[in-house]
Amino acid sequence: MRKSLTFFLSGLALAVAASPAVAGERVLEFKLITKPIDLKVIEAANVEGQTVVSGKFFGVAVFSDGRIGVKEFVNTSDLLKGSGPFFGYSTYTFEEGSITARYTGSAKDGKSTGEYTILSGTGAYANATGTGTIESAPNPFKGVNLLNIKLVVKTSGS
C-alpha cells in the first residue's frame, strides 16, 4: 500500500511539474534598461518642436534577486517639445517563458508613465492575460532609458 501511494504521489508530482502553465497570478517587478536599435524621427512641418518617433528597441530586465530577462519592442511617440503620448508592443523573454503585451503612456517633463495590457504568453506564461505599469526611474546614463516595471500576470493553465 505504501509503495502504491509513493508511486501515485510521484506520478502526480511529475504531472504537475510537466504541465506548461500553472493557473494563478504572478506579480513581476523589475528595472528595465532600454536602448533604441532602429529609430526614425520625423519633424512635423510648421509646428516647432513637434516630432513623431518610431522604432525598434531592445531592453534588459533586472530583478532584485538577480534574475534577468530581455525585451524586444516597437514604439511610436507623438511628442511636442518632448512631451506627449506613446504606445507600442513588447515581448519579454524570461527563463520560464515569454510575455507579449501592448502598452500606452505619456511623457512629460522628462518622465514617462504608462500601462500594459498583456496579450499572450508562452511556457509558464501560456495563455497569459493581465495588466502592468511603466514608470520612469532616475537615470544617470545617456542614450538609454531606465524604467520601473510591474506586470500582474494571470494564467489559466492549459
Side-chain angles (χ1 to χ4, degrees), residues 32-125:
L32 179 67
I33 302 104
T34 68
K35 182 167 182 65
I37 300 301
D38 182 17
L39 198 61
K40 179 84 171 171
V41 179
I42 302 169
E43 294 182 14
N46 302 316
V47 184
E48 186 179 333
Q50 184 72 53
T51 58
V52 175
V53 182
S54 189
K56 287 183 169 185
F57 292 73
F58 180 80
V60 176
V62 181
F63 291 86
S64 60
D65 66 3
R67 290 178 298 138
I68 61 169
V70 295
K71 175 183 177 178
E72 293 183 71
F73 64 110
V74 293
N75 184 84
T76 297
S77 304
D78 183 8
L79 305 173
L80 178 59
K81 298 179 182 173
S83 295
F86 59 82
F87 75 94
Y89 293 88
S90 303
T91 296
Y92 284 98
T93 303
F94 305 107
E95 276 189 43
E96 64 274 13
S98 68
I99 296 169
T100 298
R102 183 179 196 285
Y103 63 87
T104 60
S106 64
K108 185 174 182 180
D109 300 327
K111 296 183 181 183
S112 298
T113 59
E115 296 181 349
Y116 281 103
T117 300
I118 297 173
L119 304 173
S120 65
T122 65
Y125 306 111

Side-chain angles (χ1 to χ4, degrees), residues 26 101 115-118 129-133 150-154:
R26 282 179 75 177
E115 296 181 349
Y116 281 103
T117 300
I118 297 173
T129 60
T131 59
T133 58
K150 180 178 180 180
L151 299 174
V152 179
V153 184
K154 297 176 184 176

